[in-house]
Amino acid sequence: MNCPFCGHEDTQVKDSRSTDDGAAIRRRRVCAGCAQRFTTIERVQLRELTVTKMDGRRVPFDRDKLARSIRIALRKRPVEEDRQERIVNGLVRQLEASGETEISSARIGELAMDALHSIDGVAYVRFASVYRDFREVEAFSKLLTDMRPGEEGDSLSPMVEREKDKEV
């Protein structure tokens, strides 16, 4: 493992620990060249995934980008960090278990939206607004109207119902 500070090739593992869910190993390392310390995380990867973008480009799947998007959608929402990590792990497992090596970005987005919809309605709307590139208020309105009140994890239901009561 090369040192991220000086590029030296000789680094030494000082401590290894399994993460809480057992899905990864966290290693604390020290560089023999500059003595800087850093952390690496190792995860099981069943297969190399390639993402096909809307414009036809193919890029390697980036788990961290998916995790970042999920965390942004769930920011300041009552969903614990370990649950967010389980969501991301579940999505990655689903993608790897599909048997496909090339997956469209649209498929990844839909899977993420489904996962968020079942957990938190506000996070779902946040993610959908970026993923579907909403440019008009009407797009938000349609999304909220399409959300069925009373679904599990749907924290927008009371708000939608209050708005409907005002219309009457």
Side-chain angles (χ1 to χ4, degrees):
M1 172 72 57
N2 290 347
C3 173
F5 301 104
C6 70
H8 197 268
E9 292 180 13
D10 187 22
T11 60
Q12 190 175 24
V13 175
K14 289 295 183 185
D15 182 42
S16 291
R17 294 182 186 181
S18 178
T19 57
D20 292 336
D21 63 356
I25 295 176
R26 181 184 156 145
R27 298 193 192 278
R28 196 70 186 133
R29 297 176 176 267
V30 65
C31 175
C34 67
Q36 290 282 348
R37 293 177 179 261
F38 59 98
T39 302
T40 59
I41 297 175
E42 295 179 21
R43 298 182 194 285
V44 172
Q45 183 176 349
L46 297 177
R47 62 182 34 115
E48 194 73 28
L49 297 175
T50 303
V51 178
T52 306
K53 299 289 198 171
M54 300 280 188
D55 64 5
R57 288 180 300 130
R58 288 177 168 74
V59 297
F61 174 73
D62 185 355
R63 182 192 188 283
D64 292 334
K65 183 176 179 182
L66 177 62
R68 211 172 23 256
S69 299
I70 297 294
R71 284 196 177 88
I72 289 169
L74 288 166
R75 185 177 292 152
K76 295 187 179 181
R77 300 300 303 154
V79 178
E80 301 83 26
E81 201 169 309
D82 64 326
R83 183 149 188 219
Q84 293 177 27
E85 188 64 25
R86 285 194 311 268
I87 293 166
V88 174
N89 287 341
L91 290 170
V92 171
R93 256 186 257 114
Q94 237 180 317
L95 294 170
E96 289 178 339
S98 72
E100 300 173 32
T101 56
E102 283 197 22
I103 298 170
S104 71
S105 59
R107 175 84 175 120
I108 296 169
E110 293 298 326
L111 287 172
M113 285 185 3
D114 289 346
L116 289 170
H117 188 265
S118 67
I119 291 166
D120 186 88
V122 172
Y124 167 73
V125 172
R126 286 177 178 171
F127 189 91
S129 69
V130 174
Y131 170 69
R132 292 189 178 155
D133 195 21
F134 289 170
R135 298 187 189 273
E136 303 292 328
V137 174
E138 289 78 23
F140 280 101
S141 179
K142 179 171 176 10
L143 181 70
L144 294 174
T145 302
D146 291 347
M147 291 178 72
R148 287 184 270 145
E151 285 187 6
E152 182 182 330
D154 185 0
S155 60
L156 290 178
S157 299
M159 182 182 74
V160 172
E161 289 173 5
R162 281 196 300 274
E163 293 300 318
K164 287 181 181 178
D165 289 344
K166 288 179 186 176
E167 293 172 2
V168 176

